Amino acid sequence: MTSWSIRPADVQAVLSEVQATATELGEQLPEAKFQSVLDGLGWAGPLTGDVPAAVNAMLGDQMGHLTSISNRINAGTLGVANAVIAYNNGQEDMAGAYQSELTRAAESGDLTYFAQHGHQG
């Protein structure tokens, strides 16, 4: 074992706070809210004709960023939680594997590895 000292309860408290904040973020930025902004821009017709297209392009770009942020939050919480469990069970190689998969899943958004190999319960 290394000289690390991980306190699972403290890690769980941080992860719970991160998940709560992520949920709040998702609730504040629903797709319907973005659509209502676009719908509101269409009222002036030719006067603001190019504005809805520009705003739509900007919102589309920002939705990509929000998806990326969400991927990183989800992968991070799953990866950290599983790595801590593995580490505390003396499975240092598996803890490292979870850390590696965390990075891959954060980039891709694919959380399949954690569903198939993660600690349950």
Side-chain angles (χ1 to χ4, degrees), residues 79-95:
V80 168
N82 281 287
V84 168
I85 291 168
Y87 180 83
N88 281 322
N89 289 334
Q91 303 166 332
E92 291 183 31
D93 290 342
M94 197 64 205

Side-chain angles (χ1 to χ4, degrees), residues 16-69:
S16 294
E17 188 174 326
V18 167
Q19 288 176 323
T21 302
T23 298
E24 185 178 317
L25 175 65
E27 290 170 353
Q28 295 299 316
L29 300 170
E31 192 170 332
K33 193 173 204 177
F34 291 111
Q35 188 58 50
S36 69
V37 169
L38 289 175
D39 293 344
L41 291 172
W43 66 270
L47 181 62
T48 62
D50 293 334
V51 174
V55 171
N56 189 36
M58 186 268 311
L59 289 177
D61 186 51
Q62 294 308 311
M63 287 301 291
H65 292 302
L66 291 172
T67 297
S68 180
I69 290 167

